[in-house]
Amino acid sequence: MRQSTSFHVAIVMDGNGRWATRRGLPRAAGHRAGAEAVRRAVEIAPGCGISALTLYAFSSDNWTRPAAEVSVLMRLFARYLRKETAELAEKGVKLTVIGRRDRLPRSLLDAITAAEQGTARGTKLELRIAVDYSARAAIQRGDLLPDVDLLIRTGGEQRLSDFLLWECAYAELWFTDRMWPDFGAAHLAAAVHEFHSRDRRFGGLPTREAV
Ligand code: FPP
């Protein structure tokens, strides 16, 4: 069986819009609540044994959303980076942003540069935020990440939506109907707990049958 010292979890954070609509709130409120859920997940990830966390924040296909929603998201990403950088650095988190940069607004690019520089020395958790990301495009360019061990998707859908297609070749998949803003420490811990109960065979035989 393959042994690995790192534990790479990737999350498709789906359901912000429905979370807000169900409460009679604008979708932007769902995205703001989603940012809080990001904060919580990052905070508890190291305690769950996670050494790398990759979050799908904005896919290259999300540009088809109304301009107003795109703009809310871009400002929210920039605000998150500006607000969190100091604390992330203090906690040993190394943050990088993956995906295309040439279509991002200047203010977000500046926030990304500052956050990446400010957290460059982190060794406890590698946090990657995927913005304007397409796995197919990344594969074509040849920029690949380490294998994903556990892929979580909230919001009830059960698909990859062009996220880490190559890296998820042997990922364990974990889906929940819970909307992303309602995803908390207990849910991440439950997903990790179930992951550890799975028999990962990588094409081989179950551990107990190996000779
Ligand atoms: C999918 O839910 C979510 C997104 C497209 C945006 C993800 C953004 C966040 C979680 C906000 C903050 C992120 C960071 C990194 C600070 P949806 O809008 O498609 O929801 P729906 O399927 O219910 O409409």
Side-chain angles (χ1 to χ4, degrees), residues 101-146:
R101 297 214 176 172
D102 57 307
R103 300 188 282 197
L104 302 182
R106 182 79 252 162
S107 53
L108 176 54
L109 288 171
D110 291 344
I112 290 172
T113 306
E116 288 182 336
Q117 285 175 358
T119 63
R121 278 202 257 264
T123 55
K124 287 217 174 73
L125 174 71
E126 277 215 43
L127 172 64
R128 296 184 200 91
I129 299 184
V131 179
D132 196 359
Y133 175 86
S134 153
R136 285 176 169 177
I139 290 167
Q140 275 177 335
R141 285 194 306 267
D143 32 275
L144 306 172
L145 298 174

Side-chain angles (χ1 to χ4, degrees), residues 80-93 114-115 118-119:
Y80 171 84
L81 296 173
R82 280 195 292 264
K83 246 177 84 180
E84 299 296 318
T85 296
E87 200 178 323
L88 291 174
E90 202 175 296
K91 290 191 167 141
V93 178
T119 63

Side-chain angles (χ1 to χ4, degrees), residues 12-22 27 30-39 55-59 62 65 69 73 76-81 84 129-131 153-155 157 159 179-181:
V12 180
M13 309 181 288
D14 197 11
N16 294 347
R18 279 166 289 162
W19 181 91
T21 306
R22 285 174 191 175
R27 291 176 59 84
H31 294 312
R32 283 195 296 275
E36 283 307 308
V38 168
R39 266 177 55 85
L55 303 175
Y56 206 7
F58 191 86
S59 87
N62 287 149
R65 293 191 179 202
E69 179 165 346
L73 283 167
L76 192 58
F77 299 149
R79 194 177 323 141
Y80 171 84
L81 296 173
E84 299 296 318
I129 299 184
V131 179
R153 181 169 185 146
T154 61
E157 312 292 354
R159 53 178 172 251
M179 300 294 137
W180 174 249

